[in-house]
Amino acid sequence: MNTDIEIARAAHKRPIAEIAAKLGIGAQDILPYGHDKAKISRDFIAGLAGRPQGRLILVTAINPTPAGEGKTTTTVGLGDALNRLGAKATICIREASLGPNFGMKGGAAGGGRAQVIPMEDMNLHFTGDFHAITSAHNLLSAMLDNHLHWGNALDIDPRRITWRRVLDMNDRVLRDVVLGLGPGNGVPRESGFDITVASEVMAILCLSRDLDDLQDRLGRIVVAQTRDGRPVTARDLQADGAMTVLLRDALQPNLVQTLENNPALVHGGPFANIAHGCNSVIATTTALHLSDYVVTEAGFGADLGAEKFLNIKCRKAGLTPAAVVLVATVRALKMNGGVARSDLAVENIGAVQAGAANLSRHIRNLRKHGLPLVVAINHFATDTRAEIAAIEAAARALGVQAITARHWEMGGAGAEDLAREVMRLAAQPHDFRLTYPDDMPLRDKIETICTRIYGAEGAQFPPAVLARLEAWQAEYGSLPVCMAKTQYSFSANPDWLGAPEGFTIPVREVRLAAGAGFVVAICGDIMTMPGLPRDPAANRIRLGAGGHVEGLF
């Protein structure tokens, strides 16, 4: 079979105005970026208020492994399958960061016959949203340091500046830097860079309802403290207006299409291991007003992506999924069962059964939210019938059906059985529940996630972290928490696969994201600025014959 990029390049794309028309969007209501992508106008979105909404389908997964789970691929395949069955379905996914594209993970457009296109554009700059977020974030950084240079009228304490700079690239040497060296170059201080997907500005864009809400949230960003301990915000620095100007177009969702010419909204891109891991609220709600079903994904495994989707995005936006799809693969469960990547093609039913402990914990966690659930077995050619039966048995033991889907190979036609089950589940009544209430103290919210979702015995808090949480409790105690933790394990140790027990979660640091509306808990060795691997994908990405990009995956 051809590579993902070869399949995407050979696709028969329809003009983007035709895709918009499928959703009832007129040519005058889109802002084209070439022939195959466009933004949906603010005025059109504002006019949707009051329309009935379709059903929201959340796609999540077991903990990721190098063997691959195919969460985005399943999201796209399911959306195509729903359309094949006569439903009006729209796919909502996140935009791709340049960091993993040139690093190790690769792109974020799906794969095989279940992709969103144009794949090259989506993975390389797209419509410039990430660059706008990077610029707005770093404008605030520049205005903060400029304020210090020109007399510091707000009496900011340089030792209590918490706002870092961002870059949309994996670059470990920028994690810790010293700024302002040299005469006339500002106040020397220690700082650092995060990757753009971890920026609070990214989170704000993805949680904002409109431009007014965006500017209000940007103004609430806390960047530092004064010498007497008062918070300093972006509004205090008079930066919120200019930041909003930079983000004006970026707030409008991007419309593209699948290989089967079905609509997809691709907007925003916070990672789930270091941020809240969901596409934008404005894209999701726009799609819900225009569709019978909206299929969206939450980043990485359900312990991170789905937990934050439900406890942050749904809480803040008033959303309720009608059903949840939990993606698993034979290969990934084998790795969770102790099989080396080089041996995954060999049948090993025992390893699948052992690795299914990871699947089972995710099933139990998701059922705590009171939502209808189905397991999607993303099929690989090396899977055997006995191995698939082992997954089906593990799911059935917990009262959940597991359905094999072949969308990677067959597109939407390979996911029709999954789509029928999703439609059946989505029509059922449900009792959606969050993991914790708003009025629970911040420390207890963190511990509740650690014990109820991760299966930990508790969380470890250094005295400085406890002091900071206590200081925030009075004003920010009602906010949800955003856990920054390794995606590979329920624990904070990426090597502890399966369903580990008897561990605690070390909370190394906490950060206040007052504009986004959550508190970030950084756990273990997780980094908010990743590094490139020993053999990065960038080594193989180049222009080939005819100027086509080669090496993207």
Side-chain angles (χ1 to χ4, degrees):
M1 190 167 177
N2 293 335
T3 64
D4 289 349
I5 196 168
E6 290 170 339
I7 294 170
R9 193 175 292 143
H12 297 288
K13 291 183 287 188
R14 305 305 305 164
I16 197 62
E18 291 187 18
I19 305 302
K22 288 187 173 185
L23 294 176
I25 306 174
Q28 71 278 6
D29 296 316
I30 59 173
L31 308 172
Y33 280 62
H35 301 290
D36 52 12
K37 51 189 179 294
K39 284 186 170 290
I40 303 174
S41 74
R42 284 185 296 276
D43 290 343
F44 177 82
I45 293 171
L48 296 175
R51 280 201 194 183
Q53 294 190 353
R55 292 183 169 116
L56 181 61
I57 310 301
L58 172 63
V59 179
T60 185
I62 63 173
N63 290 95
T65 71
E69 290 67 53
K71 185 171 66 275
T72 304
T73 305
T74 302
T75 300
V76 177
L78 174 58
D80 282 339
L82 288 166
N83 280 295
R84 286 178 61 89
L85 295 178
K88 188 177 182 181
T90 301
I91 294 153
C92 283
I93 61 175
R94 294 169 296 164
E95 300 179 51
S97 165
L98 293 179
N101 275 325
F102 291 104
M104 179 174 65
K105 182 178 180 291
R113 302 292 179 189
Q115 292 190 58
V116 175
I117 51 176
M119 185 262 214
E120 294 174 42
D121 291 0
M122 282 183 56
N123 288 322
L124 299 170
H125 306 300
F126 200 25
T127 59
D129 294 345
F130 277 30
H131 300 310
I133 291 166
T134 302
S135 296
H137 182 115
N138 291 336
L139 171 63
L140 178 55
S141 301
M143 292 182 72
L144 170 60
D145 283 304
N146 188 59
H147 182 89
L148 295 178
H149 176 76
W150 290 107
N152 193 9
L154 293 173
D155 196 30
I156 296 170
D157 187 344
R159 301 166 301 174
R160 296 179 177 178
I161 293 174
T162 55
W163 191 250
R164 294 155 61 90
R165 285 165 166 80
V166 298
L167 181 72
D168 189 32
M169 189 58 62
N170 295 1
D171 197 345
R172 63 173 55 82
V173 302
L174 295 178
R175 290 171 181 163
D176 297 289
V177 301
V178 178
L179 306 174
L181 296 180
N185 293 334
V187 178
R189 61 182 178 88
E190 294 184 15
S191 186
F193 280 72
D194 296 329
I195 191 167
T196 296
V197 294
S199 167
E200 185 178 353
V201 177
M202 171 70 81
I204 286 172
L205 181 131
C206 288
L207 292 169
S208 296
R209 297 184 304 274
D210 51 36
L211 280 174
D212 290 339
D213 187 32
L214 175 70
Q215 180 161 350
D216 181 62
R217 288 173 177 272
L218 291 170
R220 297 202 305 263
I221 294 173
V222 175
V223 298
Q225 289 182 324
T226 61
R227 296 186 194 277
D228 59 0
R230 291 178 290 108
V232 179
T233 66
R235 188 172 292 116
D236 294 330
L237 292 166
Q238 302 178 55
D240 52 321
M243 294 170 72
T244 304
V245 168
L246 286 174
L247 295 169
R248 178 189 59 183
D249 292 341
L251 187 62
Q252 298 172 116
N254 306 297
L255 174 66
V256 286
Q257 62 191 288
T258 70
L259 291 175
E260 299 184 13
N261 309 123
N262 293 312
L265 298 189
V266 182
H267 196 218
F271 284 176
N273 57 347
I274 53 179
H276 73 285
C278 316
N279 77 312
S280 75
V281 167
I282 197 169
T284 302
T285 54
T286 297
L288 283 168
H289 285 304
L290 299 172
S291 314
D292 300 325
Y293 296 92
V294 172
V295 185
T296 191
E297 66 172 357
F300 290 123
D303 58 320
L304 288 170
E307 184 272 307
K308 296 172 187 179
F309 182 93
L310 299 171
N311 286 311
I312 296 177
K313 181 173 179 176
C314 290
R315 184 193 302 262
K316 293 292 184 180
L319 297 171
T320 300
V324 180
V325 178
L326 178 62
V327 181
T329 64
V330 168
R331 291 161 56 86
L333 291 181
K334 283 181 183 176
M335 290 199 77
N336 273 284
V339 174
R341 189 175 184 181
S342 58
D343 297 328
L344 292 177
V346 179
E347 183 180 77
N348 192 327
I349 301 167
V352 175
Q353 292 171 331
N358 185 271
L359 172 68
S360 297
R361 182 172 290 181
H362 285 297
I363 290 174
R364 292 188 182 97
N365 285 343
L366 289 167
R367 298 199 72 174
K368 293 173 185 175
H369 291 285
L371 296 171
L373 174 67
V374 61
V375 171
I377 304 173
N378 183 21
H379 186 266
F380 280 69
T382 56
D383 299 349
T384 69
R385 180 58 220 161
E387 291 172 328
I388 292 172
I391 299 178
E392 293 171 342
R396 188 167 53 249
L398 295 173
V400 176
Q401 186 175 2
I403 296 177
T404 301
R406 298 174 180 264
H407 43 277
W408 185 90
E409 175 189 1
M410 301 169 59
E416 288 188 7
D417 288 344
L418 176 63
R420 290 188 184 93
E421 176 64 7
V422 165
M423 294 170 74
R424 186 187 72 82
L425 291 175
Q428 295 180 358
H430 57 269
D431 181 23
F432 177 45
R433 300 182 294 273
L434 298 171
T435 305
Y436 52 81
D438 290 342
D439 59 1
M440 179 181 284
L442 292 170
R443 174 180 177 170
D444 293 347
K445 290 173 182 173
I446 295 171
E447 289 221 71
T448 297
I449 292 174
C450 292
T451 55
R452 291 197 64 197
I453 303 299
Y454 304 157
E457 294 182 349
Q460 297 174 337
F461 300 92
V465 168
L466 288 176
R468 185 158 290 184
L469 291 174
E470 182 62 29
W472 292 339
Q473 184 59 44
E475 186 169 358
Y476 303 109
S478 64
L479 298 182
V481 294
C482 178
M483 305 294 287
K485 181 187 73 69
T486 179
Q487 65 268 33
Y488 298 114
S489 173
F490 281 107
S491 74
N493 186 330
D495 296 327
W496 293 356
L497 304 183
E501 297 180 348
F503 62 91
T504 56
I505 299 291
V507 181
R508 187 180 84 237
E509 178 186 352
V510 286
R511 297 180 184 178
L512 175 63
F518 52 71
V519 171
V520 181
I522 300 177
C523 305
D525 295 328
I526 194 71
M527 295 292 180
T528 51
M529 169 55 86
L532 291 171
R534 182 183 297 274
D535 182 23
N539 290 346
R540 294 170 292 281
I541 295 174
R542 57 182 48 83
L543 289 177
H548 291 303
V549 177
E550 295 180 352
L552 277 178
F553 66 98

